[in-house]
Every structure is written in structure tokens, then in C-alpha cells.
Amino acid sequence: MTTTPLQQIILAGPRGFCAGVDRAIDIVELALQVCPHPIYVRREIVHNRHVVEALRAKGAHFVDELDEVPDNATVIFSAHGVSPAVRAEALRRGLSVIDATCPLVTKVHLEAIRYAREGYSIILVGHADHDEVVGTMGEAPDRMFLIAHPEDVDRLDVTDPDKVAYLTQTTLSVDDTRDCVEALRRRFPKIVGPAKDDICYATQNRQAAVKTVAGEVDVLLVIGAANSSNANRLVEVSTVMGTPSYLINDKNDIRAEWLEGAGRVGVTAGASTPEFLVTEVVNELRRMCPAAVREVHVVEEDVRFGLPRELEDIARRAGKAIPTRSGLPTFKEE
Ligand code: SF4
């Protein structure tokens, strides 16, 4: 076994929080300041327990379903979006809804609604049981079909093969999705879909950064939750390139045997991962073996999403400043 000591830690950029996650966290924090308590949040606001626990400590009540929310209370929908059935239930119960659905997820919902109205069978490329997919499928459950792999295309049974549209989950692998779309085009030559696909800018940029970094390192650590789709895709992208990659929640998950023989280790973070976890991981690596830190940025991001108008109005009336996050994280040595 090689015993090369760790010499360099390469940080992938962009990494970590995207504009949709920034916005969702801002929404909960602002609602906690300006709306009557208790404030409920349906499901994890974003898929990261550190984020959820921090908001819980500030007073947010996380629930799985609306039946855990008292009538007339305030509830926040997560960044992953909800189906129309959930919205209807909230309306029926008189709940005050604050919608933290990422605008890029809402865009996919609107595409589903439009294609359904125009009579298309809609193929959604995505992962079953992910909150985003459950919400999107709910827009047209009687005419939507879910596929995850190119092999699934042959099993599709649509009413009219000349009237088919496709959509994609926002956090998929760019390469795997291209294979699915090519298989769909072969089976349904007249298929229509979004101009490119619905994979969001943040997912694409983080995967592009991993492709660059994975080529330079012996091991890649991806900081993110097991139920984070985009974090899992980062592990896959690296693994496909032949660079061993491990998904970790935080510094406590690092295993010394992963680093044996690794002169260079890459570190990145999924779109729901706060930057302080990156700092902790890098410091833990350097505690295990002093190493230089280098950042590789493949693209700068300047995407920002506004907060819901109703929440901003409530905040202004309460004299509270509207939060704006700082954007792309930069590693700060401790
Ligand atoms: S990963 Fe993409 S779709 Fe999901 S919240 Fe972030 S920007 Fe929005």
C-alpha cells in the first residue's frame, strides 16, 4: 500500500448553497421574525439536517404532513415544491401558506401544467419518492409517467406516441439525463421538451466543478445528506470518472482508510450544504495531515431569487430588513 502523505486539498467551486436554498432558508428565518408563531415547515426545508436543526433551534416546527399543522396556522412549503393536492388541503384548512418552492422547480410545474392542458403524455425523468418528483407528478397524475433510466423508455405505454413531452427533475446527472432524453427521442421522434432540459444551473455547475477536480485528485469527499439528490449525483460523477468518492454528512464521517495513499483530496458540497461544514472538513483533513488548500472555480455564480412578495410586505410593515445572502462561498482558513 502506498503511504503518500496528503499534500493538497482541492476545493471545488461552485459548491454548497444555491440560490433556491439561500432563498428557502431566508424565508424561514424571516417568517420566524415577522409572522405570528408557531411557524410550521412541511418536510425538510432543504435536505440537510444541520440546516433543519439550526432553524428548529430558532423556533421552526418541522412536520411531515399538513395534518400535523393546526387550522389557521402558518406553514412554509419546502424548496422542493408540493403537489396541487397539498395546496388545496392548505386552502381548505385556512392555513397561511408561505411558499419556499425554488422558482426553478416552479418552472417545471408550470411546464407540466401547460403540456397537460395541451393534451400531451408527459414523461418525467427523475427519481421516485423524491419530494420534487412527487410534487411535479401531482400536477397531472393521470398523464405523467416517471422514468429514471434509458431502459425504462421501452416500457412506456402512452396514448399517442406523436403527442409526448418530457420534463426532468432539476437535480439529475447531466450525463445520465442526456442518455434518457436520447432514448426518448429515438422512441418518440416528435417528442417536445424544454429548450435544453430542466436541470438547474446550480446542479450543472457543481457537476462541472467535480469533473474538473476529480481529474486532479485521488479521492473526492462530497459533503451532503444521503437524501440530497444533487449531492448523490456529485458522488456518481466522480465515481464514473474513476475517482473514488464518498458522501459525508460532516467531518465526523471522514475515515482515515479512505485517505491512505491519497496525495490530493478533493472536497465539494451539495447545494443544501452550509459552507461551515466545508471549513470543518478541511480543517479536520489538515489536522490529520497538514496540506495546502487550493480552490478551483469553473464558473462564477450570481443567481439570486427574490422572496415571496407577501412575506416581504409583512417584513416591511414590521420594519425588518430583507435578507440577502452573500452567494458563492469562499473557504476561510481558521
Ligand atoms: S438545486 Fe437548483 S432547483 Fe434545487 S433549490 Fe437549488 S437552484 Fe433550485
Side-chain angles (χ1 to χ4, degrees):
M1 181 186 298
T2 323
T3 52
T4 316
L6 177 60
Q7 291 160 357
Q8 198 172 53
I9 299 163
I10 302 182
L11 291 172
R15 63 177 176 276
F17 281 1
C18 59
V21 165
D22 271 342
R23 175 179 182 268
I25 296 169
D26 281 346
I27 286 172
V28 178
E29 289 189 337
L30 189 57
L32 287 168
Q33 292 175 45
V34 301
C35 295
H37 282 227
I39 307 286
Y40 293 85
V41 182
R42 182 183 178 275
R43 306 279 170 93
E44 291 186 329
I45 184 73
V46 300
H47 285 326
N48 188 281
R49 71 177 159 81
H50 293 272
V51 172
V52 169
E53 289 308 322
L55 293 172
R56 201 194 307 275
K58 291 181 179 179
H61 296 265
F62 286 87
V63 296
D64 284 334
E65 297 299 346
L66 292 187
D67 58 13
E68 298 165 65
V69 180
D71 286 351
N72 304 312
T74 298
V75 64
I76 299 173
F77 291 155
S78 82
H80 305 105
V82 299
S83 74
V86 174
R87 288 183 193 285
E89 172 69 2
L91 187 65
R92 188 186 68 74
R93 298 267 318 283
L95 303 178
S96 296
V97 170
I98 302 173
D99 191 356
T101 302
C102 175
L104 300 181
V105 174
T106 300
K107 169 180 164 285
V108 183
H109 281 239
L110 295 176
E111 288 167 347
I113 292 167
R114 177 167 65 85
Y115 285 132
R117 197 185 299 132
E118 293 173 1
Y120 285 90
S121 294
I122 306 164
I123 317 298
L124 177 64
V125 185
H127 298 287
D129 301 330
H130 189 279
D131 284 346
E132 180 187 327
V133 166
V134 172
T136 307
M137 296 287 289
E139 293 291 357
D142 52 340
R143 55 175 61 246
M144 287 189 84
F145 302 81
L146 182 65
I147 66 165
H149 309 287
E151 308 83 82
D152 299 337
V153 172
D154 287 340
R155 290 193 286 274
L156 288 168
D157 182 16
V158 300
T159 322
D160 179 357
D162 288 339
K163 191 87 178 173
V164 179
Y166 77 88
L167 302 170
T168 74
Q169 188 180 338
T170 56
T171 49
L172 298 178
S173 151
V174 172
D175 297 331
D176 292 351
T177 304
R178 186 185 51 235
D179 294 344
C180 283
V181 172
E182 283 174 2
L184 284 168
R185 288 195 193 287
R186 279 195 297 275
R187 167 110 194 257
F188 307 111
K190 293 187 176 172
I191 196 167
V192 296
K196 269 183 72 192
D197 49 48
D198 299 304
I199 300 174
C200 76
Y201 81 96
T203 298
Q204 298 197 29
N205 290 346
R206 281 149 190 70
Q207 288 177 23
V210 161
K211 282 183 181 173
T212 299
V213 170
E216 296 189 35
V217 298
D218 302 300
V219 174
L220 179 79
L221 302 180
V222 177
I223 311 168
N227 60 347
S228 164
S229 174
N230 78 84
N232 279 288
R233 302 295 81 76
L234 297 179
V235 172
E236 287 173 9
V237 165
S238 177
T239 305
V240 165
M241 288 181 66
T243 303
S245 181
Y246 302 97
L247 183 66
I248 58 174
N249 282 302
D250 52 39
K251 66 175 183 174
N252 300 315
D253 291 344
I254 300 172
R255 302 222 314 244
E257 61 264 34
W258 296 341
L259 309 178
E260 283 172 2
R264 291 199 278 194
V265 173
V267 176
T268 189
S272 312
T273 304
E275 180 67 2
F276 83 87
L277 294 176
V278 176
T279 303
E280 287 183 359
V281 163
V282 172
N283 288 333
E284 178 64 12
L285 289 171
R286 297 182 82 196
R287 190 193 62 74
M288 295 164 77
C289 192
V293 180
R294 180 161 70 88
E295 293 207 58
V296 172
H297 283 282
V298 300
V299 60
E300 297 299 327
E301 291 180 342
D302 59 0
V303 179
R304 299 281 182 279
F305 298 132
L307 300 186
R309 175 87 49 83
E310 319 78 68
L311 184 59
E312 284 198 354
D313 289 346
I314 295 170
R316 281 199 192 89
R317 285 199 293 276
K320 292 282 182 190
I322 309 298
T324 48
R325 284 173 188 269
S326 57
L328 190 71
T330 305
F331 173 72
K332 293 183 189 63
E333 213 166 307
E334 284 185 343

